[in-house]
Amino acid sequence: MLNMTKREYARYVKEKAPSSRLVRDTALAWLSGGLICVAGQGLIEWFRALGMTRETAPVVAAMTLVAAAAFLTAIRVYDRIAKWAGAGTIIPITGFANAMVAPAMEFKTEGHVAGMASKMFVIAGPVIVYGVLTSAVYGVVLWVMRAVGG
């Protein structure tokens, strides 16, 4: 392999690389992501039917999706779904819950504080920091625009 030309190496890589399943993967991501969204909308409608307000029902539905994704991650089901469904499972609300719980599950042997509690913020920490920083910058820009009459 060390004496291969670029063309020979490219042919070798093409032979060894798995074939692309782009259409299948795209369809599964679309289907699974759509099902998660349908589940979320179904929860909203169900909570509205139970008497929740238009403002409250989506919040409770989002919390339910986060709790369900966290629970499914904790019992090692979410990963099996993600292997089948692919990118459709990284819809922000469920994907974020999975991203927070998965590191905690990996490091639970280190104890509750040093392991689970601290590892949950491996992914969530940067997201929270970015969100807070972005909202602060947005607030300053909005304040400046109002101050100059924009």
Side-chain angles (χ1 to χ4, degrees), residues 47-95:
F47 291 136
R48 292 274 293 136
L50 292 176
M52 289 188 187
T53 65
R54 182 176 298 275
E55 293 78 25
T56 304
V59 173
V60 176
M63 291 175 9
T64 303
L65 287 173
V66 166
F71 177 72
L72 290 173
T73 299
I75 62 171
R76 310 258 188 243
V77 172
Y78 198 91
D79 291 339
R80 283 188 262 151
I81 294 169
K83 282 181 184 174
W84 174 80
T89 58
I90 60 171
I91 287 179
I93 198 84
T94 55

Side-chain angles (χ1 to χ4, degrees), residues 5-16:
T5 65
K6 286 184 181 182
R7 183 172 282 147
E8 289 170 332
Y9 181 73
R11 191 173 347 157
Y12 173 78
V13 169
K14 189 174 182 179
E15 289 172 10
K16 298 295 181 187

Side-chain angles (χ1 to χ4, degrees), residues 34-137:
L35 287 173
I36 293 170
C37 291
V38 166
Q41 187 62 44
L43 286 169
I44 291 170
E45 299 303 325
W46 183 53
F47 291 136
R48 292 274 293 136
L50 292 176
M52 289 188 187
T53 65
R54 182 176 298 275
E55 293 78 25
T56 304
V59 173
V60 176
M63 291 175 9
T64 303
L65 287 173
V66 166
F71 177 72
L72 290 173
T73 299
I75 62 171
R76 310 258 188 243
V77 172
Y78 198 91
D79 291 339
R80 283 188 262 151
I81 294 169
K83 282 181 184 174
W84 174 80
T89 58
I90 60 171
I91 287 179
I93 198 84
T94 55
F96 185 68
N98 173 259
M100 279 193 64
V101 174
M105 297 307 298
E106 267 181 48
F107 295 97
K108 66 182 177 183
T109 57
E110 295 176 18
H112 290 294
V113 175
M116 286 193 345
S118 65
K119 297 301 180 183
M120 284 195 310
F121 293 100
V122 167
I123 299 293
V127 172
I128 293 168
V129 168
Y130 180 77
V132 170
L133 180 63
T134 302
S135 64
V137 169

